[in-house]
Amino acid sequence: QVQVAESGGGLVQAGGSLRLSCVASGRAFRPNSQEWYRQAPGKERELVASIDSYGPPMYADAVKGRFTISRDSAKNTVVYLQMTRLKPEDTAVYYCKAAVSFGGSKEYIYWGQGTQVTVSS
């Protein structure tokens, strides 16, 4: 079993910055990829950014050039989402999704509870 926990959300003015953290914890697992999603009121959950060990990070068009996803250099189970030049339309609950393996080829998906980001105009 793996637990995923997000932190770092809050209220910020438009143009400001926030850094979200996602920590995956548990026993004997290998993180394959971690992704940030967001869900605004009345809208579907959407992928914001993803990172894995095989290629460059991926970003949704709406956040390219403003958001940066990265892994902790010491702990590859910790992922950050640095958000800059925030806009009111970035307001949403941000969720972290971790895809992990436990020594075999099968992959398991775990979600965090989400952290609220509110951008005021």
Side-chain angles (χ1 to χ4, degrees):
Q1 188 74 6
V2 171
Q3 292 78 44
V4 177
E6 306 96 337
S7 62
L11 173 64
V12 64
Q13 288 188 332
S17 300
L18 280 175
R19 189 177 82 157
L20 305 183
S21 299
C22 169
V23 179
S25 59
R27 296 181 64 180
F29 70 95
R30 182 183 73 239
N32 297 327
S33 65
Q34 283 167 277
E35 299 175 325
W36 284 99
Y37 284 74
R38 67 186 181 187
Q39 187 166 19
K43 295 188 176 181
E44 293 188 354
R45 192 172 295 190
E46 62 176 359
L47 178 63
V48 175
S50 67
I51 191 168
D52 60 31
S53 301
Y54 311 109
M58 187 283 292
Y59 299 94
D61 288 343
V63 307
K64 278 181 182 176
R66 300 187 298 121
F67 291 10
T68 302
I69 189 171
S70 62
R71 269 181 169 163
D72 188 285
S73 59
K75 301 179 181 179
N76 64 355
T77 57
V78 179
V79 171
Y80 305 105
L81 185 68
Q82 179 68 49
M83 306 186 293
T84 64
R85 292 184 282 140
L86 283 161
K87 305 175 181 180
E89 50 264 44
D90 294 319
T91 295
V93 177
Y94 283 70
Y95 297 90
C96 182
K97 174 184 142 183
V100 309
S101 300
F102 295 96
S105 59
K106 187 175 180 179
E107 195 168 75
Y108 297 81
I109 302 298
Y110 297 92
W111 288 88
Q113 294 298 309
T115 185
Q116 176 70 47
V117 171
T118 303
V119 184
S120 62
S121 57

